[in-house]
């Protein structure tokens, strides 16, 4: 067991936790959460650990990543302790603790720093892009101020830091999760069964579907296509599809400009899902349709808007390439699209985006340990 740290509660508030110290341990939140099980007692257990400052237990928790932030628990908490927000804050804390540079800590805690960092990164990426087109008029002007090699190498260093941070974060999390021996009543699964369960969850979001199913839930009568699980599914698979299409486009080059080419078809379908999912998510947060959407931090807004802009500018470029529109504006849109897309990839290790690889890893160990076996 780790040492107790009473100052940890105020630290967590910087990551977005509210008055969780008001919690009187009634267990309502755990009872109402559709994802808790006998051997996955959250959020109540994690709230106790947060109050005591048991950081090691929190960072070694698989249960932390089982939560889909549906907000059911916050709706029913008699003390307004915000257990749903608390879980999201813990995940921000965990992401910043696994990541080795300390950058995530700074940008999660300070909005001005986050904006400054994002703007600086945009400028650097813009410069870097011009190194890929050294004959461009703007590039030639740029190189009179900063030499080509300096800009190019800076870009490569930034990409390398991101790659190393992702690998480091995954390795750190794996070490912590494997050290945490959770006793279960079910039998353990082998690697393939656990992997199959993770892939199944990513493909179907079956666990997420079990959230928000009470009779009085806002989503109860709504069609599946607008429910939070499908919005999440659309954003996730839209982004993955676009990444794959971009890699294929890059490898195939010329044939990819034809609209019927498989990578273009994949890109179009994935882009539609991405724009659809992000539009709904932004709309829900603007209207604060349920408690889960009532508090949105700047980092979450920027993440959603970046994804949305990447999708919309992608369609703009698709139309202009298909119909051979040649206008200065298209070059500007291309620059914005490329910078935003690269920022998303670079912020992968340093933002909420990191949950895309931490959640599957935690789920893998959860299933492998036999937890979640019905
Ligand atoms: S967070 Fe609220 S619902 Fe959960 S145990 Fe504490 S007081 Fe009860
Ligand atoms: S936010 Fe939803 S999934 Fe997360 S602990 Fe609360 S009820 Fe469970």
């Amino acid at each position: 067991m780790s040492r107790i740290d009473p100052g940890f509660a105020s630290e967590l508030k910087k990551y977005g936790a509210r008055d969780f110290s008001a919690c009187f341990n009634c267990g309502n939140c755990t009872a109402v959460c559709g994802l808790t099980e006998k051997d996955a007692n959250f959020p109540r257990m994690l709230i106790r650990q947060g109050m005591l400052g048991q950081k090691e237990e929190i960072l070694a928790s698989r249960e932390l990543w089982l939560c889909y932030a549906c907000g059911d628990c916050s709706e029913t908490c008699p003390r307004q302790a915000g257990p749903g927000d608390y879980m999201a804050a813990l995940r921000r804390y965990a992401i910043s603790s696994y990541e080795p540079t300390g950058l995530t800590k700074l940008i999660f805690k300070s909005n001005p720093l986050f904006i400054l960092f994002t703007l600086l990164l945009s400028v650097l990426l813009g410069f870097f892009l011009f190194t890929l087109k050294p004959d461009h008029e703007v590039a030639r002007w740029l190189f009179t101020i900063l030499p080509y090699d300096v800009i190019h190498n800076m870009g490569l260093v930034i990409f390398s830091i991101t790659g190393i941070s992702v690998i480091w974060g995954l390795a750190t999390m794996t070490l912590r999760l494997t050290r945490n021996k959770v006793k279960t009543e079910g039998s353990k699964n082998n690697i393939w069964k656990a992997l199959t369960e993770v892939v199944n969850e990513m493909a179907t979001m079956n666990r997420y579907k079990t959230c928000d199913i009470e009779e009085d839930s806002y989503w109860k009568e709504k069609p599946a296509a607008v429910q939070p699980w499908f919005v999440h599914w659309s954003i996730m698979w839209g982004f993955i599809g676009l990444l794959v299409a971009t890699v294929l486009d890059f490898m195939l080059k010329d044939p990819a400009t034809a609209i019927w080419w498989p990578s273009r078809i994949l890109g179009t379908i994935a882009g539609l899902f991405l724009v659809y999912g992000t539009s709904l998510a932004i709309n829900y947060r603007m209207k604060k349709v349920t408690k889960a959407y009532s508090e949105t931090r700047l980092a979450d807004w920027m993440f959603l808007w970046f994804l949305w802009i990447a999708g919309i500018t992608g369609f703009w470029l698709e139309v202009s390439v298909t119909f051979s529109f040649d206008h200065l504006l298209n070059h500007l849109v291309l620059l914005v699209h490329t910078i935003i897309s690269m920022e998303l990839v670079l912020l992968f290790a340093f933002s909420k985006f990191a949950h895309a690889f931490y959640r599957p890893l935690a789920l893998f160990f959860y299933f492998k340990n036999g937890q979640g076996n019905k």
Side-chain angles (χ1 to χ4, degrees), residues 28-36 42-44 46 63-64 66-76 82-85 87-88 91 207-208 210-212 214 292 359:
N28 245 8
C29 48
T30 303
V32 85
C33 175
L35 298 173
T36 54
F42 65 92
R44 185 176 63 163
L46 284 155
E63 292 75 12
L64 177 57
L66 301 185
C67 162
Y68 275 113
C70 70
D72 274 7
C73 51
S74 297
E75 302 267 4
T76 52
D85 294 333
M87 292 292 281
R91 285 190 290 276
R207 295 176 65 81
Y208 202 163
T210 63
C211 296
D212 295 311
E214 306 77 43
R359 192 195 300 275

Side-chain angles (χ1 to χ4, degrees), residues 238-239 241-242 265-277 311-312 315:
F239 188 79
L242 279 172
I265 296 172
L266 173 65
T268 305
I269 295 171
L272 285 172
F273 275 112
L274 184 76
V275 172
Y276 174 77
I312 292 290
F315 278 115

Side-chain angles (χ1 to χ4, degrees), residues 12 22 45 58 61 64 74 114 177-178 214 234 274 288 333:
L12 281 180
M45 174 66 84
I58 287 169
S61 164
L64 177 57
S74 297
F114 184 43
L177 296 188
T178 47
E214 306 77 43
S234 301
L274 184 76
K288 303 184 177 190
V333 173

Side-chain angles (χ1 to χ4, degrees), residues 122-132 141-143 146 151:
S122 309
V123 173
L124 272 176
L125 286 172
F127 284 7
F128 179 70
L129 285 173
F130 279 115
T131 66
L132 305 178
W141 167 79
L142 195 60
F143 299 151
L146 259 181
I151 301 174

Side-chain angles (χ1 to χ4, degrees), residues 308-359:
W308 188 82
I309 293 170
I312 292 290
T313 49
F315 278 115
W316 177 300
L317 294 171
E318 179 158 33
V319 171
S320 57
V321 166
T322 304
F323 296 103
S324 309
F325 295 151
D326 191 16
H327 192 279
L328 180 65
L329 188 58
N330 291 345
H331 296 286
L332 201 61
V333 173
L334 176 63
L335 193 64
V336 170
H337 176 78
T338 317
I339 287 176
I340 294 251
S341 304
M342 284 166 89
E343 280 225 31
L344 278 168
V345 172
L346 284 175
L347 286 171
F348 206 41
F350 313 104
S351 67
K352 177 186 174 158
F353 215 176
H355 82 275
F357 51 86
Y358 289 134
R359 192 195 300 275

Side-chain angles (χ1 to χ4, degrees), residues 35-50:
L35 298 173
T36 54
E37 287 161 41
K38 226 182 337 178
D39 46 20
N41 177 1
F42 65 92
R44 185 176 63 163
M45 174 66 84
L46 284 155
I47 291 176
R48 295 301 299 162
Q49 290 171 337

